[in-house]
Amino acid sequence: MRYSDFDQRLAALGALPVHRGRVARVWLDGQALDRGTRRRRSEHFLPLALRDAVPALTAELDGLARIRSEHAGSDGSRLLVELADGQMVESVLLPRDGLCVSTQVGCAVGCRFCMTGKSGLIRQVSSMEILAQVVLARRLRAVKKVVFMGMGEPAHNLDNVLEAIDLLGTEGNIGHKNLVFSTVGDRRVFEALPEQRVKPALALSLHTTKAELRAHLLPRAPSIAPEELIALGEDYARRTDYPIQYQWTLLKGINDGDDELDGVVRLLKGKFGVLNVIPFNSLEGDDYQRPDAERIREIVRTLHRRGVLTKVRNSAGQDVDGGCGQLRARAVGAEQVIELRRRKSTAKREAV
């Protein structure tokens, strides 16, 4: 169910735009649909047919998603969320009232350093399921910022993600730049976002300044050279008067060399943006490692000194083995499948 479908059902019950807006606001705030105001009870302003339908509507909304498990960590709690069909996604309660939501079950991009990408794309998450993640989180604590950086590639589910962003930026009482659209880069995003009523902040997954290496690390991402990606990002930043967040997962011996730092300075110096370096969240038995702590500090110091604003952003949930996709993988046994594949691959290499 998309929100537009739900909105049409409310209209069929005689709800005017003012009534439908009220229902959306109280639901997104985690409150009962027929909750009144400080001065008026709901029966004084909601149509009778809508009031009569509240129990059924509430049951349907509550059935969209539920928290299957919560894993508290030093940087916030990671939630394993089960959807109505039994599929699972992850949400993260971030510091400073932030929330990271998932937009797909799995992901088709297949980033080699990401657990989510190893499962492939299973299905899209509807706009109502995206919003339900916010509702579940708000029933636990305040949410003032939502980042679309969880499982999935938002650009591959663009209509649902944009619908959720629009509602959160209007009825959801979240500032537009506190909505962050994260993407590996897709030309459709740069065409669509400037046309939206709610124009979110933008985070672009860069990871390297080398086109061939980027194609290897992000094997099914759109073929956009780093130079073009940054040019598209710079145009959006200037049009919205808000900086781009460039994401860079640091992989030891892969993209942490001085040649990459030279490339970062060449591409990002003077641009309206910030580089977020994210030390790799080591997964047991995986093929990548995070750089040493001193190398990470050296990278940040060097880029600062050379004129590129750089921040370290650790992946949430590492202390509870809850990096993106790990909770779901354990829940469905995917890690065992991945380990089995790795053993078979190793056996083949040894046989050769």
Side-chain angles (χ1 to χ4, degrees):
M1 178 170 57
R2 294 184 58 180
Y3 180 76
S4 53
D5 301 323
F6 181 70
D7 188 62
Q8 289 176 7
R9 288 178 57 190
L10 296 180
L13 292 168
L16 299 175
V18 64
H19 304 132
R20 304 201 298 272
R22 172 68 185 175
V23 169
R25 286 192 297 275
V26 295
W27 177 58
L28 289 173
D29 198 37
Q31 305 294 326
L33 297 187
D34 57 355
R35 180 173 179 265
T37 67
R38 287 181 296 178
R39 298 182 179 181
R40 302 174 65 193
R41 296 167 61 88
S42 63
E43 55 263 34
H44 295 157
F45 58 86
L46 290 183
L48 177 60
L50 177 55
R51 297 203 307 271
D52 289 343
V54 161
L57 292 172
T58 299
E60 187 168 354
L61 293 175
D62 288 346
L64 287 170
R66 70 178 183 90
I67 297 176
R68 174 161 169 166
S69 60
E70 181 176 356
H71 305 259
S74 59
D75 53 4
S77 294
R78 185 171 287 273
L79 308 176
L80 183 62
V81 177
E82 184 174 353
L83 306 177
D85 62 354
Q87 294 291 350
M88 286 171 283
V89 295
E90 297 172 15
S91 304
V92 185
L93 299 173
L94 300 170
R96 297 178 293 279
D97 296 334
L99 175 69
C100 179
V101 298
S102 294
T103 58
Q104 294 180 305
V105 181
C107 182
V109 177
C111 298
R112 298 183 186 277
F113 47 82
C114 175
M115 177 62 80
T116 301
K118 296 179 186 299
S119 66
L121 177 64
I122 297 172
R123 74 165 175 85
Q124 306 288 9
V125 175
S126 73
S127 57
M128 289 294 280
E129 291 171 325
I130 295 171
L131 295 169
Q133 295 174 63
V134 179
V135 173
L136 290 174
R138 279 182 161 170
R139 288 174 179 168
L140 299 175
R141 48 148 248 202
V143 173
K144 299 178 181 178
K145 179 175 184 177
V146 177
V147 296
F148 294 78
M149 295 183 183
M151 295 171 56
E153 165 53 52
H156 292 173
N157 190 17
L158 195 55
D159 289 343
N160 280 298
V161 172
L162 291 181
E163 190 170 70
I165 286 175
D166 184 78
L167 200 70
L168 291 171
T170 52
E171 308 297 357
N173 195 33
I174 296 180
H176 294 189
K177 295 307 179 279
N178 280 332
L179 296 163
V180 184
F181 187 109
S182 176
T183 177
V184 297
D186 190 304
R187 291 178 180 86
R188 293 172 297 178
V189 170
F190 299 101
E191 294 170 359
L193 287 189
E195 304 301 321
Q196 302 304 304
R197 172 172 57 170
V198 177
K199 298 176 179 61
L202 187 60
L204 297 177
S205 296
L206 185 58
H207 303 306
T208 177
T209 62
K210 304 172 183 177
E212 290 185 6
L213 178 58
R214 192 169 189 272
H216 171 75
L217 293 175
L218 286 65
R220 289 183 290 280
S223 181
I224 302 179
E227 291 81 359
E228 181 184 357
L229 183 63
I230 291 169
L232 291 168
E234 180 72 2
D235 178 67
Y236 184 74
R238 298 297 177 181
R239 293 173 70 172
T240 57
D241 196 29
Y242 200 78
I244 301 296
Q245 298 177 41
Y246 293 100
Q247 312 289 80
W248 188 291
T249 299
L250 279 176
L251 306 170
K252 185 176 182 178
I254 304 294
N255 63 355
D256 63 341
D258 291 340
D259 56 337
E260 287 280 28
L261 302 188
D262 292 339
V264 168
V265 173
R266 174 176 56 85
L267 293 179
L268 292 185
K269 186 175 182 179
K271 297 296 191 297
F272 193 19
V274 57
L275 180 67
N276 291 328
V277 294
I278 308 165
F280 176 64
N281 178 16
S282 298
L283 305 174
E284 183 178 352
D286 212 333
D287 302 322
Y288 298 102
Q289 295 179 325
R290 63 190 288 139
D292 300 333
E294 179 53 37
R295 178 54 181 167
I296 296 170
R297 289 191 288 268
E298 181 183 359
I299 288 171
V300 174
R301 287 195 300 265
T302 299
L303 292 176
H304 274 165
R305 186 174 63 250
R306 298 180 66 182
V308 177
L309 178 60
T310 307
K311 298 181 180 180
V312 177
R313 296 280 192 241
N314 280 305
S315 175
Q318 295 188 38
D319 58 336
V320 293
D321 292 329
C324 191
Q326 286 179 276
L327 295 180
R328 179 185 174 276
R330 284 201 296 275
V332 301
E335 287 182 323
Q336 297 177 9
V337 175
I338 293 165
E339 182 60 27
L340 180 61
R341 289 174 180 167
R342 184 177 292 114
R343 288 175 181 171
K344 288 182 177 179
S345 178
T346 302
K348 288 181 180 179
R349 289 197 298 268
E350 290 176 350
V352 174

